[in-house]
Amino acid sequence: MEAREAVTVAPVTDRTPDTAAAGWRTAVASALGLACGPSVLTVMAFGAFIKPLDREFGWGVPAITLAASFLSITIMVISPVQGLLVDRFGGRRLILCSSPFFGLSLMAMYFLPDSLPLFYLAWIIIPLAGLGLWPVSYLRLTAGWFERKLGFALGIANSGIGVGTVIVPILTAVLIASFGWRVAFLGLGALALLAFPVAYFLLAEPSPGHTGVRAGGDTLKRAATKRPFWLVLAAFVLLGAIGSTIVVHQIPLLQDAGLTENVATLVPVALGVALIVARIATGWLLDRITVAVVMSLYLIGGTVSVLLFAAGPNVWTALLAAALAGLLIGAEFDVLSYLIPRYFGRLAFGTIYGIAFAAFQVGGAIAAAAVGVSRDAYGSYTPAMLTLSVVCLACVGLFLSLGPYRYDSSHS
């Protein structure tokens, strides 16, 4: 009974070709913005700077990588804040305000002195400077234009992170090799500034009266009284644990299994390509199949992936495991940005997304550290990978427990 209260959206009767074009333009612009946003330029590019910084300053790899923890903690803290601001002021305004500060914060790393405390402070300031550029700003904008093709539109927007994940680490490595790490930070900062013209000329803030998309829904307080809210948070804690463990530990795991360093570092390319495919394919599937079924399929693939990793993969099984993991990781935020309008409506989209994103970061931070401890204790990644297979199946159970959509577009 409860699952059917306020279940339908207003008929899409006033959607014109102009509004449709604005919606698709916003989806493509969101992909461009996310490809040069902080999700890529900080999280995915960080690893390329570890060895150059160690060579210049002699800080040691553990001390340098500790900055990544400061980055993750800052992301976790600011995600709900960004969500609240997006719901209050709109995504486009936040993107325009944040883009110059984020680009300049990366460029400022050119002047980094030999000081670990300043280095750590920088990785707190950089994600703060990019407050409005994390995915929820773009995804809320895109979601506001679509009802029937919501999944596909969100998939296009999210694909930008996948493309950036493949291209930016390569670009960063080339810049470092050719000009040094300081100039590489200047290059990344210049790339970040591209988000401003993209947002100014291409992004459009949706107006519900002109798009035919229902803008109402649950407040955060009301959503938190519903079982799906807590199921989603629990699921994204577990998804964070799965995805972060694979991304962080994949290369050393493959080296433990006997693969050479050159081969081990190439295997993640399969993950990156699968991630891009999953961004688009998941969006298309979500318009046709329920969230529960889509995520169950990906999580079964994730179970196979971690079991292959547990068995000590060879080159071919490692490629298969990486591809299956990439499909799961690529699907996660397509699913999150789709299920919020379906289960809670659009009213508190940014706030709910930010809280779930923070939960994801918590799961990832805990699991990545715990798996490292497990590897040292047992001398192998096998126990941790077997545990992750159980986590995948538990996550299937959480998604299957969500029940029917509360804000269903099937009658629009």
Side-chain angles (χ1 to χ4, degrees), residues 276-298:
I276 296 172
V277 171
R279 297 289 189 190
I280 302 294
T282 302
W284 185 87
L285 287 171
L286 287 169
D287 288 328
R288 291 158 178 81
I289 307 172
T290 64
V291 161
V293 173
V294 171
M295 277 308 289
S296 293
L297 292 173
Y298 282 123

mmCIF file with all atom_site columns, all heavy atoms in Angstrom, residues 276-298:
data_model
loop_
_atom_site.group_PDB
_atom_site.id
_atom_site.type_symbol
_atom_site.label_atom_id
_atom_site.label_alt_id
_atom_site.label_comp_id
_atom_site.label_asym_id
_atom_site.label_entity_id
_atom_site.label_seq_id
_atom_site.pdbx_PDB_ins_code
_atom_site.Cartn_x
_atom_site.Cartn_y
_atom_site.Cartn_z
_atom_site.occupancy
_atom_site.B_iso_or_equiv
_atom_site.pdbx_formal_charge
_atom_site.auth_seq_id
_atom_site.auth_comp_id
_atom_site.auth_asym_id
_atom_site.auth_atom_id
_atom_site.pdbx_PDB_model_num
ATOM 1   N N   . ILE A 1 276 ? 33.223 2.524   -19.087 1.00 0.00 ? 276 ILE A N   1
ATOM 2   C CA  . ILE A 1 276 ? 32.584 3.423   -20.058 1.00 0.00 ? 276 ILE A CA  1
ATOM 3   C C   . ILE A 1 276 ? 31.361 2.766   -20.670 1.00 0.00 ? 276 ILE A C   1
ATOM 4   O O   . ILE A 1 276 ? 30.290 3.378   -20.800 1.00 0.00 ? 276 ILE A O   1
ATOM 5   C CB  . ILE A 1 276 ? 33.586 3.820   -21.158 1.00 0.00 ? 276 ILE A CB  1
ATOM 6   C CG1 . ILE A 1 276 ? 34.744 4.620   -20.558 1.00 0.00 ? 276 ILE A CG1 1
ATOM 7   C CG2 . ILE A 1 276 ? 32.891 4.642   -22.243 1.00 0.00 ? 276 ILE A CG2 1
ATOM 8   C CD1 . ILE A 1 276 ? 35.863 4.893   -21.530 1.00 0.00 ? 276 ILE A CD1 1
ATOM 9   N N   . VAL A 1 277 ? 31.509 1.494   -21.053 1.00 0.00 ? 277 VAL A N   1
ATOM 10  C CA  . VAL A 1 277 ? 30.377 0.753   -21.637 1.00 0.00 ? 277 VAL A CA  1
ATOM 11  C C   . VAL A 1 277 ? 29.222 0.699   -20.652 1.00 0.00 ? 277 VAL A C   1
ATOM 12  O O   . VAL A 1 277 ? 28.048 0.905   -21.011 1.00 0.00 ? 277 VAL A O   1
ATOM 13  C CB  . VAL A 1 277 ? 30.817 -0.673  -22.036 1.00 0.00 ? 277 VAL A CB  1
ATOM 14  C CG1 . VAL A 1 277 ? 29.612 -1.511  -22.436 1.00 0.00 ? 277 VAL A CG1 1
ATOM 15  C CG2 . VAL A 1 277 ? 31.832 -0.616  -23.170 1.00 0.00 ? 277 VAL A CG2 1
ATOM 16  N N   . ALA A 1 278 ? 29.537 0.448   -19.385 1.00 0.00 ? 278 ALA A N   1
ATOM 17  C CA  . ALA A 1 278 ? 28.488 0.310   -18.364 1.00 0.00 ? 278 ALA A CA  1
ATOM 18  C C   . ALA A 1 278 ? 27.733 1.614   -18.152 1.00 0.00 ? 278 ALA A C   1
ATOM 19  O O   . ALA A 1 278 ? 26.526 1.597   -17.891 1.00 0.00 ? 278 ALA A O   1
ATOM 20  C CB  . ALA A 1 278 ? 29.097 -0.154  -17.047 1.00 0.00 ? 278 ALA A CB  1
ATOM 21  N N   . ARG A 1 279 ? 28.397 2.751   -18.248 1.00 0.00 ? 279 ARG A N   1
ATOM 22  C CA  . ARG A 1 279 ? 27.723 4.028   -18.049 1.00 0.00 ? 279 ARG A CA  1
ATOM 23  C C   . ARG A 1 279 ? 26.542 4.180   -19.011 1.00 0.00 ? 279 ARG A C   1
ATOM 24  O O   . ARG A 1 279 ? 25.453 4.593   -18.627 1.00 0.00 ? 279 ARG A O   1
ATOM 25  C CB  . ARG A 1 279 ? 28.699 5.189   -18.268 1.00 0.00 ? 279 ARG A CB  1
ATOM 26  C CG  . ARG A 1 279 ? 29.864 5.259   -17.315 1.00 0.00 ? 279 ARG A CG  1
ATOM 27  C CD  . ARG A 1 279 ? 29.447 5.670   -15.924 1.00 0.00 ? 279 ARG A CD  1
ATOM 28  N NE  . ARG A 1 279 ? 30.626 5.933   -15.088 1.00 0.00 ? 279 ARG A NE  1
ATOM 29  C CZ  . ARG A 1 279 ? 30.578 6.115   -13.795 1.00 0.00 ? 279 ARG A CZ  1
ATOM 30  N NH1 . ARG A 1 279 ? 29.443 6.073   -13.162 1.00 0.00 ? 279 ARG A NH1 1
ATOM 31  N NH2 . ARG A 1 279 ? 31.683 6.361   -13.106 1.00 0.00 ? 279 ARG A NH2 1
ATOM 32  N N   . ILE A 1 280 ? 26.793 3.879   -20.294 1.00 0.00 ? 280 ILE A N   1
ATOM 33  C CA  . ILE A 1 280 ? 25.735 4.031   -21.298 1.00 0.00 ? 280 ILE A CA  1
ATOM 34  C C   . ILE A 1 280 ? 24.742 2.881   -21.218 1.00 0.00 ? 280 ILE A C   1
ATOM 35  O O   . ILE A 1 280 ? 23.520 3.086   -21.205 1.00 0.00 ? 280 ILE A O   1
ATOM 36  C CB  . ILE A 1 280 ? 26.337 4.106   -22.705 1.00 0.00 ? 280 ILE A CB  1
ATOM 37  C CG1 . ILE A 1 280 ? 27.325 5.272   -22.813 1.00 0.00 ? 280 ILE A CG1 1
ATOM 38  C CG2 . ILE A 1 280 ? 25.236 4.240   -23.755 1.00 0.00 ? 280 ILE A CG2 1
ATOM 39  C CD1 . ILE A 1 280 ? 26.708 6.632   -22.679 1.00 0.00 ? 280 ILE A CD1 1
ATOM 40  N N   . ALA A 1 281 ? 25.253 1.652   -21.169 1.00 0.00 ? 281 ALA A N   1
ATOM 41  C CA  . ALA A 1 281 ? 24.380 0.475   -21.199 1.00 0.00 ? 281 ALA A CA  1
ATOM 42  C C   . ALA A 1 281 ? 23.446 0.437   -19.995 1.00 0.00 ? 281 ALA A C   1
ATOM 43  O O   . ALA A 1 281 ? 22.270 0.081   -20.120 1.00 0.00 ? 281 ALA A O   1
ATOM 44  C CB  . ALA A 1 281 ? 25.224 -0.796  -21.247 1.00 0.00 ? 281 ALA A CB  1
ATOM 45  N N   . THR A 1 282 ? 23.959 0.821   -18.829 1.00 0.00 ? 282 THR A N   1
ATOM 46  C CA  . THR A 1 282 ? 23.124 0.793   -17.624 1.00 0.00 ? 282 THR A CA  1
ATOM 47  C C   . THR A 1 282 ? 21.969 1.767   -17.736 1.00 0.00 ? 282 THR A C   1
ATOM 48  O O   . THR A 1 282 ? 20.832 1.454   -17.378 1.00 0.00 ? 282 THR A O   1
ATOM 49  C CB  . THR A 1 282 ? 23.972 1.120   -16.381 1.00 0.00 ? 282 THR A CB  1
ATOM 50  O OG1 . THR A 1 282 ? 25.035 0.171   -16.275 1.00 0.00 ? 282 THR A OG1 1
ATOM 51  C CG2 . THR A 1 282 ? 23.127 1.068   -15.118 1.00 0.00 ? 282 THR A CG2 1
ATOM 52  N N   . GLY A 1 283 ? 22.248 2.958   -18.249 1.00 0.00 ? 283 GLY A N   1
ATOM 53  C CA  . GLY A 1 283 ? 21.172 3.928   -18.434 1.00 0.00 ? 283 GLY A CA  1
ATOM 54  C C   . GLY A 1 283 ? 20.086 3.403   -19.338 1.00 0.00 ? 283 GLY A C   1
ATOM 55  O O   . GLY A 1 283 ? 18.888 3.556   -19.056 1.00 0.00 ? 283 GLY A O   1
ATOM 56  N N   . TRP A 1 284 ? 20.485 2.768   -20.438 1.00 0.00 ? 284 TRP A N   1
ATOM 57  C CA  . TRP A 1 284 ? 19.517 2.186   -21.376 1.00 0.00 ? 284 TRP A CA  1
ATOM 58  C C   . TRP A 1 284 ? 18.704 1.086   -20.692 1.00 0.00 ? 284 TRP A C   1
ATOM 59  O O   . TRP A 1 284 ? 17.481 1.017   -20.845 1.00 0.00 ? 284 TRP A O   1
ATOM 60  C CB  . TRP A 1 284 ? 20.256 1.638   -22.595 1.00 0.00 ? 284 TRP A CB  1
ATOM 61  C CG  . TRP A 1 284 ? 19.369 1.125   -23.678 1.00 0.00 ? 284 TRP A CG  1
ATOM 62  C CD1 . TRP A 1 284 ? 18.803 1.827   -24.699 1.00 0.00 ? 284 TRP A CD1 1
ATOM 63  C CD2 . TRP A 1 284 ? 18.949 -0.241  -23.852 1.00 0.00 ? 284 TRP A CD2 1
ATOM 64  N NE1 . TRP A 1 284 ? 18.057 1.004   -25.493 1.00 0.00 ? 284 TRP A NE1 1
ATOM 65  C CE2 . TRP A 1 284 ? 18.121 -0.279  -25.001 1.00 0.00 ? 284 TRP A CE2 1
ATOM 66  C CE3 . TRP A 1 284 ? 19.178 -1.427  -23.157 1.00 0.00 ? 284 TRP A CE3 1
ATOM 67  C CZ2 . TRP A 1 284 ? 17.543 -1.461  -25.464 1.00 0.00 ? 284 TRP A CZ2 1
ATOM 68  C CZ3 . TRP A 1 284 ? 18.599 -2.599  -23.612 1.00 0.00 ? 284 TRP A CZ3 1
ATOM 69  C CH2 . TRP A 1 284 ? 17.797 -2.610  -24.760 1.00 0.00 ? 284 TRP A CH2 1
ATOM 70  N N   . LEU A 1 285 ? 19.364 0.239   -19.914 1.00 0.00 ? 285 LEU A N   1
ATOM 71  C CA  . LEU A 1 285 ? 18.669 -0.851  -19.231 1.00 0.00 ? 285 LEU A CA  1
ATOM 72  C C   . LEU A 1 285 ? 17.686 -0.332  -18.180 1.00 0.00 ? 285 LEU A C   1
ATOM 73  O O   . LEU A 1 285 ? 16.589 -0.881  -18.027 1.00 0.00 ? 285 LEU A O   1
ATOM 74  C CB  . LEU A 1 285 ? 19.691 -1.768  -18.553 1.00 0.00 ? 285 LEU A CB  1
ATOM 75  C CG  . LEU A 1 285 ? 20.507 -2.681  -19.471 1.00 0.00 ? 285 LEU A CG  1
ATOM 76  C CD1 . LEU A 1 285 ? 21.624 -3.354  -18.690 1.00 0.00 ? 285 LEU A CD1 1
ATOM 77  C CD2 . LEU A 1 285 ? 19.605 -3.731  -20.122 1.00 0.00 ? 285 LEU A CD2 1
ATOM 78  N N   . LEU A 1 286 ? 18.067 0.718   -17.470 1.00 0.00 ? 286 LEU A N   1
ATOM 79  C CA  . LEU A 1 286 ? 17.215 1.223   -16.400 1.00 0.00 ? 286 LEU A CA  1
ATOM 80  C C   . LEU A 1 286 ? 15.883 1.761   -16.918 1.00 0.00 ? 286 LEU A C   1
ATOM 81  O O   . LEU A 1 286 ? 14.891 1.794   -16.169 1.00 0.00 ? 286 LEU A O   1
ATOM 82  C CB  . LEU A 1 286 ? 17.942 2.324   -15.623 1.00 0.00 ? 286 LEU A CB  1
ATOM 83  C CG  . LEU A 1 286 ? 19.077 1.843   -14.713 1.00 0.00 ? 286 LEU A CG  1
ATOM 84  C CD1 . LEU A 1 286 ? 19.896 3.026   -14.202 1.00 0.00 ? 286 LEU A CD1 1
ATOM 85  C CD2 . LEU A 1 286 ? 18.536 1.032   -13.545 1.00 0.00 ? 286 LEU A CD2 1
ATOM 86  N N   . ASP A 1 287 ? 15.843 2.192   -18.171 1.00 0.00 ? 287 ASP A N   1
ATOM 87  C CA  . ASP A 1 287 ? 14.582 2.640   -18.754 1.00 0.00 ? 287 ASP A CA  1
ATOM 88  C C   . ASP A 1 287 ? 13.668 1.472   -19.100 1.00 0.00 ? 287 ASP A C   1
ATOM 89  O O   . ASP A 1 287 ? 12.503 1.679   -19.437 1.00 0.00 ? 287 ASP A O   1
ATOM 90  C CB  . ASP A 1 287 ? 14.847 3.463   -20.024 1.00 0.00 ? 287 ASP A CB  1
ATOM 91  C CG  . ASP A 1 287 ? 15.437 4.832   -19.709 1.00 0.00 ? 287 ASP A CG  1
ATOM 92  O OD1 . ASP A 1 287 ? 15.106 5.378   -18.640 1.00 0.00 ? 287 ASP A OD1 1
ATOM 93  O OD2 . ASP A 1 287 ? 16.216 5.343   -20.535 1.00 0.00 ? 287 ASP A OD2 1
ATOM 94  N N   . ARG A 1 288 ? 14.185 0.237   -18.992 1.00 0.00 ? 288 ARG A N   1
ATOM 95  C CA  . ARG A 1 288 ? 13.427 -0.943  -19.403 1.00 0.00 ? 288 ARG A CA  1
ATOM 96  C C   . ARG A 1 288 ? 13.287 -1.999  -18.318 1.00 0.00 ? 288 ARG A C   1
ATOM 97  O O   . ARG A 1 288 ? 12.352 -2.795  -18.332 1.00 0.00 ? 288 ARG A O   1
ATOM 98  C CB  . ARG A 1 288 ? 14.111 -1.571  -20.634 1.00 0.00 ? 288 ARG A CB  1
ATOM 99  C CG  . ARG A 1 288 ? 13.985 -0.700  -21.865 1.00 0.00 ? 288 ARG A CG  1
ATOM 100 C CD  . ARG A 1 288 ? 15.065 -0.990  -22.911 1.00 0.00 ? 288 ARG A CD  1
ATOM 101 N NE  . ARG A 1 288 ? 14.845 -0.154  -24.087 1.00 0.00 ? 288 ARG A NE  1
ATOM 102 C CZ  . ARG A 1 288 ? 15.224 1.116   -24.171 1.00 0.00 ? 288 ARG A CZ  1
ATOM 103 N NH1 . ARG A 1 288 ? 15.853 1.695   -23.169 1.00 0.00 ? 288 ARG A NH1 1
ATOM 104 N NH2 . ARG A 1 288 ? 14.977 1.812   -25.274 1.00 0.00 ? 288 ARG A NH2 1
ATOM 105 N N   . ILE A 1 289 ? 14.231 -2.031  -17.371 1.00 0.00 ? 289 ILE A N   1
ATOM 106 C CA  . ILE A 1 289 ? 14.251 -3.053  -16.321 1.00 0.00 ? 289 ILE A CA  1
ATOM 107 C C   . ILE A 1 289 ? 14.410 -2.345  -14.983 1.00 0.00 ? 289 ILE A C   1
ATOM 108 O O   . ILE A 1 289 ? 15.057 -1.296  -14.904 1.00 0.00 ? 289 ILE A O   1
ATOM 109 C CB  . ILE A 1 289 ? 15.424 -4.042  -16.534 1.00 0.00 ? 289 ILE A CB  1
ATOM 110 C CG1 . ILE A 1 289 ? 15.404 -4.619  -17.948 1.00 0.00 ? 289 ILE A CG1 1
ATOM 111 C CG2 . ILE A 1 289 ? 15.353 -5.184  -15.521 1.00 0.00 ? 289 ILE A CG2 1
ATOM 112 C CD1 . ILE A 1 289 ? 16.625 -5.450  -18.283 1.00 0.00 ? 289 ILE A CD1 1
ATOM 113 N N   . THR A 1 290 ? 13.875 -2.910  -13.934 1.00 0.00 ? 290 THR A N   1
ATOM 114 C CA  . THR A 1 290 ? 13.951 -2.252  -12.619 1.00 0.00 ? 290 THR A CA  1
ATOM 115 C C   . THR A 1 290 ? 15.387 -2.203  -12.095 1.00 0.00 ? 290 THR A C   1
ATOM 116 O O   . THR A 1 290 ? 16.239 -3.017  -12.462 1.00 0.00 ? 290 THR A O   1
ATOM 117 C CB  . THR A 1 290 ? 13.089 -2.992  -11.585 1.00 0.00 ? 290 THR A CB  1
ATOM 118 O OG1 . THR A 1 290 ? 13.623 -4.302  -11.382 1.00 0.00 ? 290 THR A OG1 1
ATOM 119 C CG2 . THR A 1 290 ? 11.638 -3.074  -12.038 1.00 0.00 ? 290 THR A CG2 1
ATOM 120 N N   . VAL A 1 291 ? 15.624 -1.236  -11.220 1.00 0.00 ? 291 VAL A N   1
ATOM 121 C CA  . VAL A 1 291 ? 16.918 -1.081  -10.562 1.00 0.00 ? 291 VAL A CA  1
ATOM 122 C C   . VAL A 1 291 ? 17.363 -2.387  -9.917  1.00 0.00 ? 291 VAL A C   1
ATOM 123 O O   . VAL A 1 291 ? 18.535 -2.780  -10.018 1.00 0.00 ? 291 VAL A O   1
ATOM 124 C CB  . VAL A 1 291 ? 16.835 0.035   -9.497  1.00 0.00 ? 291 VAL A CB  1
ATOM 125 C CG1 . VAL A 1 291 ? 17.968 -0.073  -8.488  1.00 0.00 ? 291 VAL A CG1 1
ATOM 126 C CG2 . VAL A 1 291 ? 16.845 1.410   -10.148 1.00 0.00 ? 291 VAL A CG2 1
ATOM 127 N N   . ALA A 1 292 ? 16.443 -3.064  -9.242  1.00 0.00 ? 292 ALA A N   1
ATOM 128 C CA  . ALA A 1 292 ? 16.792 -4.287  -8.515  1.00 0.00 ? 292 ALA A CA  1
ATOM 129 C C   . ALA A 1 292 ? 17.359 -5.348  -9.443  1.00 0.00 ? 292 ALA A C   1
ATOM 130 O O   . ALA A 1 292 ? 18.367 -6.003  -9.126  1.00 0.00 ? 292 ALA A O   1
ATOM 131 C CB  . ALA A 1 292 ? 15.565 -4.826  -7.780  1.00 0.00 ? 292 ALA A CB  1
ATOM 132 N N   . VAL A 1 293 ? 16.736 -5.534  -10.599 1.00 0.00 ? 293 VAL A N   1
ATOM 133 C CA  . VAL A 1 293 ? 17.193 -6.556  -11.546 1.00 0.00 ? 293 VAL A CA  1
ATOM 134 C C   . VAL A 1 293 ? 18.525 -6.153  -12.164 1.00 0.00 ? 293 VAL A C   1
ATOM 135 O O   . VAL A 1 293 ? 19.454 -6.966  -12.265 1.00 0.00 ? 293 VAL A O   1
ATOM 136 C CB  . VAL A 1 293 ? 16.128 -6.792  -12.639 1.00 0.00 ? 293 VAL A CB  1
ATOM 137 C CG1 . VAL A 1 293 ? 16.669 -7.735  -13.720 1.00 0.00 ? 293 VAL A CG1 1
ATOM 138 C CG2 . VAL A 1 293 ? 14.861 -7.360  -12.026 1.00 0.00 ? 293 VAL A CG2 1
ATOM 139 N N   . VAL A 1 294 ? 18.640 -4.891  -12.586 1.00 0.00 ? 294 VAL A N   1
ATOM 140 C CA  . VAL A 1 294 ? 19.876 -4.419  -13.214 1.00 0.00 ? 294 VAL A CA  1
ATOM 141 C C   . VAL A 1 294 ? 21.062 -4.593  -12.270 1.00 0.00 ? 294 VAL A C   1
ATOM 142 O O   . VAL A 1 294 ? 22.105 -5.154  -12.644 1.00 0.00 ? 294 VAL A O   1
ATOM 143 C CB  . VAL A 1 294 ? 19.734 -2.945  -13.642 1.00 0.00 ? 294 VAL A CB  1
ATOM 144 C CG1 . VAL A 1 294 ? 21.095 -2.389  -14.086 1.00 0.00 ? 294 VAL A CG1 1
ATOM 145 C CG2 . VAL A 1 294 ? 18.727 -2.809  -14.777 1.00 0.00 ? 294 VAL A CG2 1
ATOM 146 N N   . MET A 1 295 ? 20.927 -4.133  -11.025 1.00 0.00 ? 295 MET A N   1
ATOM 147 C CA  . MET A 1 295 ? 22.048 -4.227  -10.090 1.00 0.00 ? 295 MET A CA  1
ATOM 148 C C   . MET A 1 295 ? 22.329 -5.660  -9.675  1.00 0.00 ? 295 MET A C   1
ATOM 149 O O   . MET A 1 295 ? 23.490 -6.025  -9.421  1.00 0.00 ? 295 MET A O   1
ATOM 150 C CB  . MET A 1 295 ? 21.785 -3.358  -8.865  1.00 0.00 ? 295 MET A CB  1
ATOM 151 C CG  . MET A 1 295 ? 22.136 -1.897  -9.074  1.00 0.00 ? 295 MET A CG  1
ATOM 152 S SD  . MET A 1 295 ? 23.817 -1.612  -9.706  1.00 0.00 ? 295 MET A SD  1
ATOM 153 C CE  . MET A 1 295 ? 24.816 -2.041  -8.285  1.00 0.00 ? 295 MET A CE  1
ATOM 154 N N   . SER A 1 296 ? 21.311 -6.497  -9.614  1.00 0.00 ? 296 SER A N   1
ATOM 155 C CA  . SER A 1 296 ? 21.540 -7.906  -9.284  1.00 0.00 ? 296 SER A CA  1
ATOM 156 C C   . SER A 1 296 ? 22.414 -8.565  -10.347 1.00 0.00 ? 296 SER A C   1
ATOM 157 O O   . SER A 1 296 ? 23.336 -9.339  -10.032 1.00 0.00 ? 296 SER A O   1
ATOM 158 C CB  . SER A 1 296 ? 20.210 -8.646  -9.153  1.00 0.00 ? 296 SER A CB  1
ATOM 159 O OG  . SER A 1 296 ? 19.481 -8.173  -8.037  1.00 0.00 ? 296 SER A OG  1
ATOM 160 N N   . LEU A 1 297 ? 22.149 -8.249  -11.614 1.00 0.00 ? 297 LEU A N   1
ATOM 161 C CA  . LEU A 1 297 ? 22.950 -8.814  -12.700 1.00 0.00 ? 297 LEU A CA  1
ATOM 162 C C   . LEU A 1 297 ? 24.407 -8.362  -12.598 1.00 0.00 ? 297 LEU A C   1
ATOM 163 O O   . LEU A 1 297 ? 25.336 -9.170  -12.708 1.00 0.00 ? 297 LEU A O   1
ATOM 164 C CB  . LEU A 1 297 ? 22.367 -8.396  -14.050 1.00 0.00 ? 297 LEU A CB  1
ATOM 165 C CG  . LEU A 1 297 ? 21.002 -8.992  -14.409 1.00 0.00 ? 297 LEU A CG  1
ATOM 166 C CD1 . LEU A 1 297 ? 20.465 -8.359  -15.696 1.00 0.00 ? 297 LEU A CD1 1
ATOM 167 C CD2 . LEU A 1 297 ? 21.105 -10.509 -14.567 1.00 0.00 ? 297 LEU A CD2 1
ATOM 168 N N   . TYR A 1 298 ? 24.597 -7.066  -12.370 1.00 0.00 ? 298 TYR A N   1
ATOM 169 C CA  . TYR A 1 298 ? 25.968 -6.561  -12.251 1.00 0.00 ? 298 TYR A CA  1
ATOM 170 C C   . TYR A 1 298 ? 26.673 -7.128  -11.026 1.00 0.00 ? 298 TYR A C   1
ATOM 171 O O   . TYR A 1 298 ? 27.884 -7.410  -11.064 1.00 0.00 ? 298 TYR A O   1
ATOM 172 C CB  . TYR A 1 298 ? 25.961 -5.038  -12.185 1.00 0.00 ? 298 TYR A CB  1
ATOM 173 C CG  . TYR A 1 298 ? 25.770 -4.361  -13.527 1.00 0.00 ? 298 TYR A CG  1
ATOM 174 C CD1 . TYR A 1 298 ? 24.724 -3.474  -13.736 1.00 0.00 ? 298 TYR A CD1 1
ATOM 175 C CD2 . TYR A 1 298 ? 26.651 -4.591  -14.575 1.00 0.00 ? 298 TYR A CD2 1
ATOM 176 C CE1 . TYR A 1 298 ? 24.550 -2.839  -14.968 1.00 0.00 ? 298 TYR A CE1 1
ATOM 177 C CE2 . TYR A 1 298 ? 26.493 -3.979  -15.804 1.00 0.00 ? 298 TYR A CE2 1
ATOM 178 C CZ  . TYR A 1 298 ? 25.436 -3.097  -15.997 1.00 0.00 ? 298 TYR A CZ  1
ATOM 179 O OH  . TYR A 1 298 ? 25.272 -2.478  -17.218 1.00 0.00 ? 298 TYR A OH  1
#
